[in-house]
Amino acid sequence: MPLNLGNDGDGSSRIILTEPRGSTAEVILHGGQVISWKNERREELLYMSSKAQYKPPKAVRGGIPVCFPQFGNIGGLERHGFARNRLWSYDDDPSPLPPANKQSSVDLILKATEDDLKIWPHSFELRVRISISPGKLTLIPRVRNIDSKAFSFMFALRNYLYVSDISEVRVEGLETLDYLDNLMGKERFTEQADAITFDGEVDRVYLNTPTKIAVIDHERKRTIELRKEGMPNAVVWNPWDKKAKTIADMGDEDYKTMLCVDSGAIEPPVLLKPGEEWKGRQELSIVSSSYCSGQLDPRKVLYGD
């Protein structure tokens, strides 16, 4: 069990991960969710709603919710599945992963309850290792089929990134790719722009995406780089002003300082046979942006401060 435990006002524990240079991450067992990631200067890198609710069965709006076994409303379950609304446990046996550093990592597990099996009749073990290192936050999700029959599922890490001004942000790495537009009935389009910029609501599932995506925050002169494995989709979402006003646990102006760029295995879903395990990996890293004409040179984005 990690050595660093904090407490919320309601008595629930927060797991606080630290590393020697001073950056931190906070994790809660409700949803197995990262709710904070701060750099060594104590600057918050993840968005958390000003109206976030931390009490089950409501999911926490912000941080990095785990979406499983469904993403969005693609299926018959509650939106984004039930994993983000359940109480997770510490995972005492994360093998075959090597033992984790208890200061900077935590292993969590979620297993199906009887109530879960009534709405989604498949026995599973969902594990996530969360680790922090200088300038980097890493999540390694795994799903094991412990049922007697095969099942398929969707999975996503919904990354609520904290940005200075959404109208000054650009996303690079998704140009020329096909995407499903959730605002147009999941119709398929091809991305035409050199980079994604924002002047209205966006809700897209990009297909066959690369392992690296850059979110460039011009005002902060900072780039957050997303690297992922085993999750071929990237979801880009910002509700903009009208939709934000309809979301009960989101402040009316919050859309200006948040952007979701998610890693996912959504389209197509993952099929697991009995005894098989699926594994993904996501790294979020901070890179100091240095650009000439606003374009990010990908050769300079390999390693951050």
Side-chain angles (χ1 to χ4, degrees):
M1 184 177 292
L3 299 179
N4 296 323
L5 287 173
N7 283 297
D8 288 339
D10 61 2
S12 61
S13 63
R14 292 188 180 197
I15 304 149
I16 302 169
L17 305 179
T18 61
E19 54 81 19
R21 281 181 49 178
S23 60
T24 61
E26 294 186 23
V27 183
I28 54 174
L29 292 178
H30 173 42
Q33 185 167 332
V34 178
I35 59 169
S36 172
W37 174 36
K38 293 179 180 177
N39 63 18
E40 63 271 18
R41 293 184 295 278
R42 310 299 298 152
E43 296 168 334
E44 181 60 66
L45 302 166
L46 299 178
Y47 158 84
M48 180 57 65
S49 170
S50 57
K51 295 183 177 179
Q53 301 174 30
Y54 290 86
K55 295 187 177 178
K58 187 72 176 173
V60 180
R61 170 116 15 221
I64 308 179
V66 177
C67 304
F68 172 89
Q70 174 180 306
F71 183 80
N73 57 5
I74 310 170
L77 300 174
E78 61 192 271
R79 186 171 181 81
H80 293 318
F82 49 74
R84 63 184 189 144
N85 296 328
R86 297 294 186 266
L87 189 65
W88 292 48
S89 303
Y90 293 107
D91 184 8
D92 296 325
D93 182 20
S95 60
L97 294 183
N101 179 313
K102 293 293 192 289
Q103 292 283 346
S104 59
S105 300
V106 65
D107 288 294
L108 302 179
I109 186 170
L110 180 71
K111 298 181 181 181
T113 65
E114 288 186 14
D115 287 341
D116 294 335
L117 292 170
K118 291 174 184 174
I119 59 172
W120 198 68
H122 308 291
S123 293
F124 67 88
E125 293 176 343
L126 169 57
R127 290 177 163 86
V128 176
R129 170 172 288 185
I130 302 161
S131 304
I132 192 170
S133 56
K136 186 178 294 184
L137 178 66
T138 303
L139 284 83
I140 302 175
R142 293 180 289 152
V143 177
R144 179 174 292 278
N145 183 347
I146 57 172
D147 210 313
S148 59
K149 56 187 183 298
F151 62 73
S152 62
F153 66 90
M154 301 174 199
F155 182 91
L157 295 171
R158 166 132 280 197
N159 300 304
Y160 280 92
L161 304 178
Y162 178 58
V163 298
S164 54
D165 179 353
I166 186 62
S167 62
E168 297 292 324
V169 169
R170 54 193 286 135
V171 178
E172 295 187 358
L174 301 174
E175 50 275 7
T176 75
L177 298 182
D178 284 1
Y179 65 87
L180 306 179
D181 193 334
N182 289 327
L183 305 180
M184 302 284 286
K186 298 183 174 62
E187 191 175 343
R188 187 164 176 153
F189 296 92
T190 300
E191 182 58 61
Q192 303 292 338
D194 292 336
I196 302 168
T197 55
F198 302 89
D199 59 5
E201 183 180 359
V202 174
D203 190 356
R204 301 172 182 170
V205 179
Y206 285 83
L207 309 174
N208 301 313
T209 60
T211 56
K212 185 177 73 175
I213 299 166
V215 180
I216 303 161
D217 190 331
H218 287 285
E219 196 166 305
R220 287 210 172 91
K221 294 185 171 58
R222 183 171 70 206
T223 294
I224 291 183
E225 182 184 289
L226 167 63
R227 288 177 176 267
K228 56 190 179 57
E229 301 168 13
M231 292 181 279
N233 303 121
V235 183
V236 179
W237 179 67
N238 183 287
W240 219 249
D241 55 348
K242 289 182 180 177
K243 176 68 71 63
K245 287 181 171 65
T246 69
I247 301 174
D249 60 349
M250 189 174 194
D252 290 353
E253 302 294 314
D254 282 11
Y255 75 93
K256 296 177 180 178
T257 56
M258 60 76 62
L259 175 63
C260 284
V261 181
D262 311 335
S263 302
I266 303 163
E267 180 57 46
V270 179
L271 178 64
L272 269 190
K273 295 176 182 176
E276 286 186 339
E277 184 176 77
W278 167 87
K279 179 183 175 184
R281 181 184 180 91
Q282 170 183 285
E283 292 181 358
L284 291 172
S285 54
I286 313 159
V287 180
S288 294
S289 299
S290 55
Y291 25 80
C292 306
S293 68
Q295 289 290 330
L296 187 74
D297 182 348
R299 291 168 295 184
K300 296 178 182 175
V301 187
L302 294 177
Y303 302 100
D305 294 343

